[in-house]
Amino acid sequence: MRVTAAFSRLLRLSGVWVRAVRFEPGRVVVEVALRRRRLHCPLCPYTTAHRHNAQTEESVWRHLDLGVWRLEIRARLRRLSCPRHGVRVESVPFARHASGFTRDFEQLVAWLATRTDKSAIARLARIDWRTVGRIVERVSADELDPARLQGLFEIGLDEVSWASQHRYLTLVTDHHRRQIVWGHEGRDAATADLFFAELGAQRARQLQAISLDMGPGYAKSAREHAPQATIAIDPFHVAKAGSDALDEVRRAYWNELRQSGDKDAARRFKDARWSLLKAPENLTDRQAQTLRRLRAAGGELWRGYTLKEALRGIFQPGLTIEDVTILIDRFISHASRSRLEPFVKLARTIRKHRDGILAAVRLGVSNARAEALNNKVRLITRRAYGFHSPDAALALIMLSCGPITLSLPHELHLR
Ligand SMILES: [Zn+2]
């Protein structure tokens, strides 16, 4: 077998034949030519037999490594004149438009990005993290199910912070399929309006329930675009509000201790953060011991802790809607008389959203599995912090938690 024929079989690049192979320091360079006669516009389905002229420089793509060798594909392409897009370099079947990588290479990197950390990918693939971001964007745009906004009945609107404390993404979850189906930078009513605009009035009218946090932004947009849908407040957000209130109480208490000069106690209570905020069944032995000390000490910190746990307990599985109603009202009454400002405030918020919270429990809209998706989104979002744009972060979220099944190159070639 000739070397060029052997490389044709090795590379499995669709629609090309190998003209030449040469070894350079650290890399193998493979020159290929397209099999097809017709020229395809890279931006639309337009094809033509007429060639405008030829590229002056070769195009180069990085392909999957060959053992320890970097593999470079080169081709001199033709240019066509598209009636819509003007003079363009023809597209190739084995690489996406404007990419310096083959589809196989991008597929591998995208798959890795959904499963492993930054430094492992950069080292294995020998590309920097921003390049990973751009690859993830291209693969996501290509593989996202275009029908993902069809057949939505119960959805959730949620925010996640990206890159820093002050940048946010809004994500829309399909509760039935437990997937993220839409996302955009921002976290206010205007961001939600963008979603409803893309969804369209007809599909918005099919929505039966929309779960939200307790903020005013999304609710305003949801009421306007889908007035028939039941607004449900995610118990997840309610329980989190309890943790936030407790954390405020703890911080105030800690500052008081520190200012009083009791350095030892101050340090003890700073460490107490996780003992207080984690669910008691998830505490380490040491954290459980700290919690016992806090209980013995009593006072406002312990009062806050029992309120936070009572609120969390309301949403444990197995309770009837009647149970939950009684427990919520009891919580509101206890919290508003607690003399702990963050909990008094929380009692007011929960009273205001009582109907929405009960609606969520009745509909079973939010459950442990929704929370699992939520945790996964947060993990992936943290990994996307180093990306250059919110669109790249969103693309990674969609690749990991959206309606996409990513295959590895060898799985694609088996099909
Ligand atoms: Zn075109």
Side-chain angles (χ1 to χ4, degrees):
M1 191 188 273
R2 283 168 43 204
V3 171
T4 50
F7 266 82
S8 266
R9 285 187 70 175
L10 267 175
L11 303 185
R12 303 200 68 156
L13 290 180
S14 57
V16 302
W17 58 277
V18 173
R19 301 171 65 150
V21 177
R22 64 174 187 275
F23 285 76
E24 291 184 0
R27 66 182 169 185
V28 181
V29 177
V30 179
E31 264 178 56
V32 303
L34 291 188
R35 283 180 193 281
R36 65 187 178 204
R37 292 270 174 78
R38 294 188 75 82
L39 294 81
H40 294 235
C41 175
L43 300 174
C44 71
Y46 176 76
T47 71
T48 174
H50 180 73
R51 114 191 189 152
H52 182 78
N53 57 12
Q55 253 182 327
T56 45
E57 299 267 319
E58 278 180 324
S59 289
V60 182
W61 301 267
R62 168 105 183 266
H63 191 40
L64 299 167
D65 288 353
L66 199 67
V68 297
W69 295 85
R70 255 173 204 273
L71 191 55
E72 223 174 76
I73 309 292
R74 288 172 177 255
R76 175 146 307 168
L77 300 173
R78 303 163 293 176
R79 303 206 301 166
L80 72 150
S81 177
C82 169
R84 258 183 75 199
H85 300 104
V87 174
R88 298 275 171 174
V89 175
E90 66 179 325
S91 74
V92 295
F94 59 83
R96 293 182 175 87
H97 175 55
S99 171
F101 303 94
T102 63
R103 285 176 182 272
D104 282 353
F105 186 92
E106 295 196 328
Q107 205 72 21
L108 175 68
V109 168
W111 187 87
L112 285 169
T114 62
R115 280 164 177 81
T116 188
D117 66 276
K118 239 157 114 161
S119 53
I121 301 168
R123 192 168 158 197
L124 178 71
R126 295 186 264 183
I127 49 176
D128 65 39
W129 190 241
R130 287 180 172 231
T131 307
V132 174
R134 280 185 285 269
I135 288 177
V136 159
E137 272 185 83
R138 280 192 292 269
V139 174
S140 168
D142 236 25
E143 306 265 333
L144 259 187
D145 182 358
R148 65 192 180 280
L149 295 186
Q150 278 164 24
L152 295 179
F153 301 105
E154 291 181 357
I155 60 167
L157 268 77
D158 203 356
E159 66 179 46
V160 58
S161 72
W162 173 73
S164 72
Q165 295 293 323
H166 304 292
R167 294 184 83 169
Y168 292 88
L169 305 171
T170 292
L171 300 175
V172 177
T173 305
D174 174 355
H175 285 310
H176 281 196
R177 281 174 286 184
R178 294 195 190 88
Q179 288 171 333
I180 306 291
V181 289
W182 189 90
H184 199 278
E185 190 179 14
R187 59 157 172 174
D188 50 13
T191 321
D193 287 346
L194 291 175
F195 163 70
F196 285 109
E198 206 174 318
L199 185 67
Q202 202 184 342
R203 287 187 292 202
R205 275 196 297 274
Q206 291 178 355
L207 292 174
Q208 291 157 0
I210 304 177
S211 68
L212 307 166
D213 56 16
M214 291 187 280
Y218 295 149
K220 176 174 172 288
S221 179
R223 272 196 303 271
E224 191 181 318
H225 297 281
Q228 80 290 347
T230 305
I231 301 283
I233 304 298
D234 275 324
F236 171 76
H237 289 295
V238 181
K240 186 174 176 298
S243 293
D244 292 346
L246 174 60
D247 209 31
E248 256 184 74
V249 173
R250 182 195 61 84
R251 265 200 314 269
Y253 190 63
W254 178 54
N255 284 336
E256 229 171 81
L257 282 176
R258 212 175 37 171
Q259 274 154 23
S260 73
D262 188 351
K263 284 222 177 72
D264 248 19
R267 199 175 309 119
R268 252 199 341 263
F269 281 108
K270 196 185 180 196
D271 290 343
R273 178 153 193 253
W274 292 112
S275 309
L276 287 165
L277 294 183
K278 274 166 77 172
E281 62 270 23
N282 297 335
L283 293 180
T284 64
D285 288 349
R286 214 179 124 189
Q287 287 166 340
Q289 200 185 2
T290 307
L291 192 63
R292 280 195 293 276
R293 279 213 313 274
L294 290 167
R295 185 174 57 199
E300 53 193 45
L301 208 48
W302 188 251
R303 238 168 39 242
Y305 180 79
T306 52
L307 282 168
K308 172 224 129 186
E309 276 301 302
L311 187 58
R312 202 173 66 87
I314 294 175
F315 305 114
Q316 296 305 301
L319 296 182
T320 65
I321 185 77
E322 290 78 19
D323 295 337
V324 173
T325 311
I326 292 168
L327 290 172
I328 284 188
D329 291 339
R330 190 181 294 164
F331 175 86
I332 293 173
S333 133
H334 284 176
S336 42
R337 288 183 285 113
S338 68
R339 284 169 287 124
L340 301 170
E341 188 46 37
F343 280 98
V344 174
K345 228 167 83 188
L346 179 59
R348 275 201 297 272
T349 309
I350 288 182
R351 185 180 290 127
K352 196 171 129 201
H353 292 285
R354 185 177 175 273
D355 290 349
I357 296 169
L358 290 173
V361 175
R362 203 170 49 239
L363 292 164
V365 151
S366 189
N367 49 28
R369 270 175 291 198
E371 200 180 321
L373 179 66
N374 206 293
N375 290 337
K376 189 174 172 194
V377 166
R378 271 154 184 84
L379 179 83
I380 293 294
T381 311
R382 269 197 298 280
R383 190 178 300 159
Y385 274 13
F387 283 160
H388 55 290
S389 73
D391 287 342
L394 271 172
L396 186 60
I397 293 171
M398 295 309 270
L399 282 183
S400 312
C401 311
I404 292 178
T405 317
L406 267 182
S407 306
L408 283 164
H410 67 268
E411 294 162 345
L412 284 174
H413 286 291
L414 274 179
R415 278 184 202 159

